[in-house]
Structure formats: C-alpha cells, structure tokens
C-alpha cells in the first residue's frame, strides 16, 4: 500500500436542508444523501441516517421519528446535525487516516455568526482539522463555471430546499447579495396547504414533492393534463383521489414564486449599472434543486426581462464549487478571498 494513501483526503460539503453532498479531493462527489435522521424517541438513539432514514418519513411507528435537523439551510438541532455530519464524513474517509481532513462547507449568505459557529463546531466534533466556510451562492457560481474572478457581472440564483440565495459577483467578490428562507420545502408546504384549504384533501410531503417534480409546469398549462393525487379526505377521514390540473398547481405555489421574484428584483435594483449591463447580456444562472422546476426558467425570464439559464447539473453546483475551492487551498497558504 502506498504510504500516503493512509492520509486523509480533504473534503467539500454541501450541507443542505434536503440533501447533503460530499466531495473528496481526488475522487469527486462520492456522497449524495438526504439530510434526514431517524431517532428512537425513548432514548434519542439514532436508528438510521440519510437514504434509509428518508424512507421512514411519515411511515414510522410511535416510538420512532424521522426528522430533518436542518431548517432553512441552517442547523436546527446541533447535537443531531453533529452526529449526521460525523456519519457522512465517516463514510467518505479512511478509518485509518493519520491526518484529519480539512473541510470546506457552504453556508447561506443570511446566516448569523451564531449559526456559522454552530456549523464549524459540528464539523470539528465530526473530526475536521480545519474548517473553511464559503457562501453558497459563491460556491454555486464557481461550480456552475461562471468567471467569478473576472471584472464581469455574474448573477446566480441558487434555489435550495430551505433558502434561495441570490448574488451578483465580480472580481472574486459578492457585490450584491440577497437571501430569503424560501425554497423547495416551502413550495411543498404551499401545495399541501392548497390541497387542504381548496379541496379538503390532506396529502403528505412525499406526495407534494412528486407533484412539484413530476407534474407542475409554470410555462405549459395544458388544462387537459391531470395528475391524480391520493390523500385523506379532511371531512370523512377516508382515502380519496383528486384530479389536479397545472393551472391550479401554479396558483398553489404562486406565493413562494412571488417572493423569489421580489428577491431577484431587489438584488437587480441594487446592482451597479455596468454590472447590470453584463447580466442583461449574459443572463441569470439558476442552480439548486429549485432550478429543475419545469418552466421556471421561462417564468422568471418573462417577469424579469433578462435571459435565464439553468446551470449544468444544478443540484451539484455548490458541492462542485467546494471542490474547486479545495484546489485553490492547495495553491495558497492563506484563506482564499472568496470566503
């Protein structure tokens, strides 16, 4: 065995509200699992983490609870997140590693110092040697291949599970930023609430996710197409199937869409004219899981009047960016300017 193979590899982490992704130096992205933990309520013992735990959501007996310990992109339960990070990191590094890994981790721009400290302490407890925080829209822009170090206005809109991160970046720095705690989870909640309030049918998160991913289209609203939603009738308590159409589903999520559009407009309003000119020419880049919402690119473009482009592999942009950042750390001794 090569002696140096027992040394730990540095890792990049996209610690998301919905999924956690890990990049290992020299290997690429080797982990992509749900940020879910299943606990035994009687003794707070962790039963499962990640993919296996997500399968339990909404289907656990009374003594077991499956939870998302991340809320709106930040830590909601420090102890559980620390154990989750430890579990994920242990799956990616050698148990016999002589050196603890350096970790680059993406954080939302709107996080407080207390929240950032909680992320750092979780990584330290999980076995990291040095922790570098990089703001998620910067990591997403790097991962999307934008020329962030050039004197050009680059606009990224990263729509994750818990937050939407908006940034205009030029010469390696964020010029304008805006972060709102609206993302895929809030859109799921919009769908659940709409079904209950407008149709007296109660559906679960998994059903709402399927509606969002497989059926909703913000640009193509053919009324003939229908999606059969299965849930529980709020009045009778019996199982019920409802035929939903695309126009009603667009209406269901309109509140969250309006908030995202308002946040984008706010950032553009604060952008210097020369950078605005670059954005008009080069467009707005969408990343994150929300970028996969059908018709969103056309919907935003029509409302803003600026071309909109979906990044290649949008759900991987942040973790790719942390990987590129790791390569920068190898070349310079001090912390890069993009943190």
């Amino acid at each position: 065995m090569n002696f140096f193979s027992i040394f730990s590899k540095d890792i990049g982490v996209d610690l998301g509200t919905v999924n956690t992704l890990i990049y290992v130096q020299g290997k690429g992205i080797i982990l992509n699992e749900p940020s879910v933990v299943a606990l035994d309520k009687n003794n707070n013992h962790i039963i499962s983490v990640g993919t296996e735990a997500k399968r339990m959501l909404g289907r656990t007996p009374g003594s077991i609870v499956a939870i998302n310990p991340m809320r709106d992109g930040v830590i909601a339960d420090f102890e559980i997140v620390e154990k989750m990070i430890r579990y994920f990191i242990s799956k990616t590094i050698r148990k016999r590693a002589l050196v603890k890994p350096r970790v680059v981790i993406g954080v939302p721009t709107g996080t407080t110092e207390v929240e950032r400290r909680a992320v750092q302490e979780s990584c330290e407890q999980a076995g990291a040697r040095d922790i570098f925080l990089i703001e998620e829209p910067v990591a997403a822009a790097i991962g999307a291949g934008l020329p962030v170090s050039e004197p050009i206005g680059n606009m990224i809109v990263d729509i994750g599970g818990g937050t939407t991160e908006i940034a205009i970046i030029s010469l390696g720095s964020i010029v304008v930023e805006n972060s709102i705690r609206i993302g895929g989870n809030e859109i799921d909640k919009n769908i659940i609430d709409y079904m209950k309030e407008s149709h007296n049918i109660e559906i679960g998160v998994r059903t709402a996710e399927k509606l969002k991913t497989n059926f909703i289209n913000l640009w193509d609203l053919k009324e003939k197409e229908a999606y059969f939603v299965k849930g529980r009738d709020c009045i009778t308590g019996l199982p019920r199937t409802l035929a939903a159409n695309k126009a009603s589903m667009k209406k269901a999520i309109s509140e969250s869409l309006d908030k995202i559009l308002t946040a984008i407009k706010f950032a553009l309003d604060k952008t210097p004219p020369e950078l605005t000119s670059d954005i008009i020419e080069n467009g707005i880049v969408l990343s994150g899981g929300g970028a996969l919402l059908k018709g969103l690119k056309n919907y935003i473009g029509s409302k803003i009047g600026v071309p909109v482009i979906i990044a290649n592999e949008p759900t991987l942009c942040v973790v790719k960016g942390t990987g590129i950042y790791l390569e920068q750390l190898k070349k310079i001794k001090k912390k890069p300017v993009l943190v």
Side-chain angles (χ1 to χ4, degrees), residues 281-334:
E281 182 177 348
N282 299 320
I284 299 170
V285 176
L286 297 182
S287 65
L292 299 175
L293 188 59
K294 295 174 184 177
L296 183 63
K297 177 181 77 170
N298 293 331
Y299 179 79
I300 292 177
S302 68
K303 299 291 185 179
I304 304 295
V306 175
V308 177
I309 304 148
I310 299 176
N312 184 38
E313 297 182 305
T315 59
L316 304 182
C317 286
V318 171
V319 75
K320 282 183 179 179
T322 64
I324 296 170
Y325 191 87
L326 280 170
E327 296 303 317
Q328 292 181 357
L329 287 175
K330 290 173 59 178
K331 298 176 183 178
I332 54 180
K333 295 181 180 179
K334 64 179 181 179

Side-chain angles (χ1 to χ4, degrees), residues 233-247:
D233 191 291
C234 296
I235 298 173
T236 67
L238 299 175
R240 179 180 159 202
T241 300
L242 172 74
N245 61 62
K246 292 183 178 179

Side-chain angles (χ1 to χ4, degrees), residues 226-258:
Y227 187 94
F228 293 96
V229 182
K230 299 177 181 178
R232 182 172 63 85
D233 191 291
C234 296
I235 298 173
T236 67
L238 299 175
R240 179 180 159 202
T241 300
L242 172 74
N245 61 62
K246 292 183 178 179
S248 66
M249 288 298 93
K250 180 179 177 181
K251 180 181 178 182
I253 66 174
S254 60
E255 182 178 350
S256 290
L257 294 177
D258 288 344

Side-chain angles (χ1 to χ4, degrees), residues 136-154:
E136 285 181 355
V138 175
I142 295 171
L146 297 182
V148 295
S149 298
E150 299 296 324
I152 299 171
N154 302 277

Side-chain angles (χ1 to χ4, degrees), residues 159 187 191 211-218 253 257 260 286 288-298 310:
I159 307 173
I187 291 174
I191 295 170
L211 261 171
K212 178 183 66 179
T213 305
N214 301 328
F215 181 65
I216 291 178
N217 191 316
L218 302 175
I253 66 174
L257 294 177
I260 292 172
L286 297 182
L292 299 175
L293 188 59
K294 295 174 184 177
L296 183 63
K297 177 181 77 170
N298 293 331
I310 299 176

Side-chain angles (χ1 to χ4, degrees), residues 11 13 15 70 73-75 77-78 81-83 85-86 89 100-108 111-135 325 335 339:
I11 66 177
V13 181
L15 183 62
M70 301 291 296
V74 295
I75 294 175
D77 189 315
F78 177 87
V81 167
E82 183 270 315
K83 291 178 180 178
I85 293 175
R86 183 190 294 271
I89 288 179
K100 293 181 178 180
R102 292 187 301 178
V103 175
V104 172
I105 187 164
V107 294
T111 51
T112 65
E113 285 302 316
V114 172
E115 290 167 338
R116 291 180 180 227
R117 200 176 308 121
V119 172
Q120 288 179 305
E121 289 177 0
S122 289
C123 290
E124 288 173 358
Q125 293 297 320
R129 179 171 92 247
D130 296 311
I131 300 101
F132 300 90
L133 303 184
I134 180 172
E135 292 180 320
Y325 191 87
K335 189 160 55 175
V339 167

